[in-house]
Amino acid sequence: MTAPEPRVFVSFSSDDREEVRRLLARLQAQPLNVWNYADEPQEIPGGASLPDYLCNQINRSDYFVPMVSANALNTRYAKLEVEHALVRRAEHQLQIIPVAVAGCPPDEQWEPPYRELATIRRREADLLSPEELDALVQELCRDMRVDYVPRPNEDPRLPFMLRFDDEIRGLRARHAEHDRAVFTRLMNVRDEFVAAYEAGDFLRARARAAFFVAMCEYEFPQAATSIYYPYVVRAVCESSCGDLRQARETLMALLNHPSVDENTYGALGYVARQEGSYQEALALYREAMRLDPADPAARTWVVLLSILCGEPAEEVERVFADIDEGRIVLAGDRMQVRALRAFAYANEGRYADAAHVLGELVRREEVTADIVVDYAVALGNLDQPTEALGVLESHCEQFHEANFWHHLASLNLELGHLDRAVDCFTELVAMAPHVRQYRADAALAYWCADLDCRVRETVSPILDLRVFALPEEPEDFYLDGFANWFLDQTERAEYDFQRSGYSSDKHYREVLSDWRRAFGRRS
């Protein structure tokens, strides 16, 4: 069963709407259920009590993301939302992730209820900066434990624009005397679109792209066969806003277009990838690569999808050998290609080769948290756990992602660094309090350190239905059983263990016996 998408409430002042809607557009493209009252289907019904409606939406949410700005600090309803969210957080029913936007006053100027937010670890970003906006979205995805969905094209320069402009210049309007006026209007809309796209305002870019296409269809009766790239660009904007269904519909209509090229197949591959249809995505990227054999993006995704679909290693290696890194403009994209190569090696059990590639990235400081973790894992598979821990510890000030800290805490525990493990797990649970695995692993570390009160405090929320949903997956039952075992509710723990289907060597009694011997725990 697919886990439901986390529900997210973004709180902001209406005076900040122009900047915040860029964030909303990117969040809606992620595997998140974001309430956006500005969308017609989600707007607040007429006649509804506004305070009650807002509080009910917060009650239904898993995450509350308040945008802290000078405007928000003085906005009645934004303050009401924060007050209610803080109550829910105190009841362990909501996680709050504050975001301080550019120009936000210093903490000491935050009045209640925002003053309490100053004690919660927050994110900071200038929402008008595409780079900072995208970095913020990546951080929020990590905080909410969902996979980040990048833009269809990570290059900040709009793709296809040279071909796009060539098509426009070849168009002729219904009446020759209107040619100049129509072309001028088209170029104005085109410029508005480019400005919105490059600024990361994908909602506005989508609207401008749709208007551009509508103008072409009206002014040029043969537009269905004479223009192509405006439709591709419109689909890219639809994907960027998370409307995969509409993007697929737009792109599918182009498959029989006389100008169809690798861009339609690549964009369709992106849509299929986000929908989890990996075999379909692989076929689409291969078609894109057939039409443009030198396209590095298509080749990269053919490699990754080949691995995910279980294709032979020789095919993966052959595609890698043909990737021309010289054609990859952005350093970040080259880093991703190299990290992908390491992933392919590790997938084949070639850990030394994977460690070599990842080690080069780390030495060049071309890293993300995932690259550092993958490097540490590769070293661990080479029986170099001390070196792996050194890599993680040397980056702990740089990264605050939960996955990174989980590996750091777990490796410290495995190597017997109990005090450090306890500190790291404490940081981890504060960072991501709604993750069963993190709480169970933290409780194990506290148990090894004879901190029995902290064990009970840590696992009790796992069994609180106001905090965690009923278990659905085998791992959920296993972790609930671990919580019950720690709380001396052994009968219920046995029931959960049976429901998990785990093998007998994973029974809580066996697991704790091993750790008891490792740390000499008294009982």
Side-chain angles (χ1 to χ4, degrees), residues 63 103 142 150 159 215 254 270 347 374 392 454 470 520 522:
Y63 295 94
R142 284 192 288 266
M215 282 183 64
L254 294 176
Y270 172 89
N347 189 67
D374 288 346
L392 293 173
R454 293 186 65 181
L470 287 169
R522 294 186 300 274

Side-chain angles (χ1 to χ4, degrees), residues 45-200:
S49 165
L50 194 55
D52 289 347
Y53 196 90
L54 293 170
C55 290
N56 285 334
Q57 287 292 338
I58 294 171
N59 291 345
R60 299 174 60 206
S61 299
D62 301 297
Y63 295 94
F64 180 81
V65 183
M67 312 305 295
V68 188
S69 69
N71 291 324
L73 293 174
N74 296 291
T75 298
R76 174 190 171 193
Y77 287 114
K79 292 166 73 174
L80 179 149
E81 293 163 0
V82 171
E83 285 176 351
H84 188 69
L86 287 168
V87 171
R88 299 290 289 178
R89 179 177 183 264
E91 297 170 346
H92 304 289
Q93 298 187 51
L94 185 70
Q95 184 172 351
I96 298 179
I97 310 173
V99 176
V101 303
C104 178
D107 294 6
E108 57 268 19
Q109 295 180 22
W110 295 11
E111 297 292 335
Y114 282 89
R115 181 173 297 164
E116 190 171 342
L117 294 184
T119 66
I120 302 173
R121 182 173 165 273
R122 62 178 179 265
R123 301 295 185 181
E124 298 181 358
D126 179 356
L127 301 184
L128 296 180
S129 164
E131 294 77 15
E132 290 195 30
L133 175 64
D134 216 46
L136 172 63
V137 173
Q138 292 185 55
E139 291 169 346
L140 291 175
C141 285
R142 284 192 288 266
D143 291 339
M144 299 176 194
R145 297 196 76 230
V146 298
D147 292 332
Y148 165 70
V149 178
R151 297 187 306 187
N153 191 300
E154 289 285 11
D155 192 328
R157 296 167 303 174
L158 180 66
F160 339 126
M161 281 311 296
L162 292 177
R163 302 180 192 180
F164 182 105
D165 290 344
D166 286 343
E167 282 189 353
I168 298 173
R169 294 188 185 97
L171 294 174
R172 289 292 178 267
R174 292 171 179 268
H175 306 289
E177 63 271 22
H178 292 161
D179 269 8
R180 183 179 298 275
V182 170
F183 187 75
T184 299
R185 287 172 57 207
L186 277 176
M187 292 307 291
N188 286 339
V189 176
R190 178 260 190 208
D191 291 344
E192 291 170 359
F193 161 73
V194 171
Y197 187 94
E198 292 185 341

Side-chain angles (χ1 to χ4, degrees), residues 42 157 223 225 232 256 262 281 311 316 356 423 463:
Q42 302 185 73
R157 296 167 303 174
T225 57
V232 176
N256 294 320
E262 73 279 0
E311 296 216 341
V316 174
H356 175 74
D423 290 342
L463 305 176

Side-chain angles (χ1 to χ4, degrees), residues 203-256:
L203 288 174
R204 188 183 297 277
R206 176 182 179 176
R208 293 289 83 192
F211 183 52
F212 185 96
V213 168
M215 282 183 64
C216 288
E217 290 175 341
Y218 175 76
E219 296 290 353
F220 313 110
Q222 305 304 316
T225 57
S226 58
I227 67 170
Y228 166 72
Y229 285 102
Y231 291 103
V232 176
V233 168
R234 187 180 77 181
V236 168
C237 292
E238 290 162 350
S239 295
S240 295
C241 293
D243 193 346
L244 299 179
R245 181 195 61 78
Q246 184 58 57
R248 178 182 282 276
E249 184 177 312
T250 300
L251 293 164
M252 291 296 291
L254 294 176
L255 291 180
N256 294 320

Side-chain angles (χ1 to χ4, degrees), residues 335 338-339 357-367 371:
M335 177 182 70
R338 291 164 185 164
V357 174
L358 293 168
E360 283 298 310
L361 289 174
V362 169
R363 281 186 284 276
R364 295 175 185 171
E365 298 184 352
E366 298 175 351
V367 294
I371 286 175

Side-chain angles (χ1 to χ4, degrees), residues 396-410:
C396 67
E397 295 295 326
Q398 183 177 354
F399 299 117
H400 297 279
E401 288 80 355
N403 182 54
F404 176 94
W405 278 80
H406 187 219
H407 278 82
L408 176 62
S410 299

Side-chain angles (χ1 to χ4, degrees), residues 278-340:
Y278 294 147
Q279 287 287 358
E280 179 191 9
L282 178 57
L284 288 164
Y285 279 118
R286 280 191 167 134
E287 182 62 18
M289 198 169 74
R290 185 187 69 79
L291 293 170
D292 181 7
D295 181 1
R299 287 187 172 279
T300 299
W301 281 110
V302 165
V303 171
L304 180 55
L305 291 164
S306 296
I307 296 169
L308 294 176
C309 294
E311 296 216 341
E314 304 78 47
E315 174 68 14
V316 174
E317 189 70 32
R318 185 187 64 77
V319 176
F320 259 129
D322 290 340
I323 292 179
D324 180 6
E325 290 194 9
R327 292 196 65 210
I328 303 176
V329 177
L330 298 181
D333 291 341
R334 289 194 296 275
M335 177 182 70
Q336 290 177 5
V337 168
R338 291 164 185 164
L340 180 58

